[in-house]
Amino acid sequence: MNLTVIDHPLTRHYLTVLRNKDTSPQAFRAAARGLTYTLVLEATKRLPLRTFEIETPMETTTGYAVDNVVAVPVLRAGLGMLDAVLETIPDVKVGFAGVARDEETAQPQEYYAKLPDLSNAFVLICEPMLATGGSLSWAVDKVKGSGATAITCLCVVTAPEGVKRMYEDHPDVQIIAAAFDRELNDDFYIVPGLGDMGDRLFGTL
Ligand code: URA
């Protein structure tokens, strides 16, 4: 299984705020940020470190640095996770992946992509709602097309259908999430879920 569900009190607290239908967009954005910090800590546990010598005021010792992390929020809901990533990861670069679902074919349609060279990067894709898996699988294809080989996805809520699709399409990719929910409904929303993440973040309900 390439899915890790975080079991941390802060993750559960913030997820509850996100799930609550009465949470305002401002409080929703704050909770998305708080929850994402907890996902980032887990996702970056195995980041490679560069070692080098530094001078403390007392003597020489070994220093460590995190290099070459690239975050890729999937537009638009992934933007709700970006601030926490920017505040936590040193010198993180950001690429963007914009995808919409074609209403007739239900297939992902790219409308924007801007990615740096990802050959030596540790890539963190931010896609809060892993529902059918179509958008995330497309985003992983995109980053692999730019050379990425070390890819982790940060999700808020996942559904069995999306996790299965990701395992079939990209078994090499890790998924770190706050929840693994029951199922998708007939409109492809996750239940119990939290509704439309983009609408709730940006107040466009
Ligand atoms: N996207 C969302 O924003 N919510 C869902 O439940 C599924 C996909």
Side-chain angles (χ1 to χ4, degrees):
M1 185 67 136
N2 52 353
L3 171 69
T4 303
V5 178
I6 305 297
D7 182 20
H8 189 287
L10 290 174
T11 316
R12 288 192 177 190
H13 173 94
Y14 288 126
L15 178 62
T16 303
V17 176
L18 295 176
R19 286 196 195 278
N20 186 338
K21 67 179 177 46
D22 295 325
T23 299
S24 69
Q26 189 173 359
F28 192 93
R29 287 192 288 270
R33 180 190 295 228
L35 183 145
T36 305
Y37 287 126
T38 71
L39 301 183
V40 168
L41 288 184
E42 177 67 26
T44 51
K45 257 185 181 169
R46 283 169 287 278
L47 264 185
L49 283 171
R50 178 169 53 84
T51 55
F52 56 102
E53 282 197 346
I54 56 161
E55 300 291 331
T56 78
M58 313 304 291
E59 62 176 34
T60 303
T61 189
T62 306
Y64 303 90
V66 165
D67 292 325
N68 215 4
V69 180
V70 179
V72 180
V74 178
L75 303 177
R76 89 189 138 139
L79 293 176
M81 306 175 84
L82 184 58
D83 281 349
V85 172
L86 293 175
E87 285 165 14
T88 319
I89 301 180
D91 295 326
V92 61
K93 300 188 188 77
V94 183
F96 292 93
V99 62
R101 195 162 63 98
D102 184 292
E103 293 305 330
E104 281 173 18
T105 64
Q107 293 305 307
Q109 296 292 315
E110 171 180 330
Y111 63 85
Y112 184 72
K114 177 89 178 165
L115 298 170
D117 174 26
L118 299 172
S119 338
N120 296 309
F122 180 90
V123 177
L124 276 180
I125 299 180
C126 303
E127 168 63 310
M129 305 303 282
L130 177 53
T132 64
S135 301
L136 186 55
S137 183
W138 167 86
V140 171
D141 282 335
K142 282 305 282 189
V143 302
K144 284 183 174 175
S146 290
T149 54
I151 304 165
T152 297
C153 302
L154 302 183
C155 300
V156 177
V157 181
T158 59
E161 293 86 339
V163 173
K164 179 168 178 290
R165 165 87 186 260
M166 284 300 293
Y167 189 68
E168 286 164 1
D169 291 0
H170 299 290
D172 54 316
V173 168
Q174 296 302 310
I175 300 169
I176 311 292
F180 180 63
D181 272 7
R182 195 175 66 246
E183 60 190 354
L184 297 183
N185 69 12
D186 292 343
D187 297 320
F188 304 106
Y189 278 87
I190 302 174
V191 282
L194 52 77
D196 187 299
M197 179 87 181
D199 282 344
R200 297 202 61 198
L201 274 169
F202 300 115
T204 49
L205 283 169

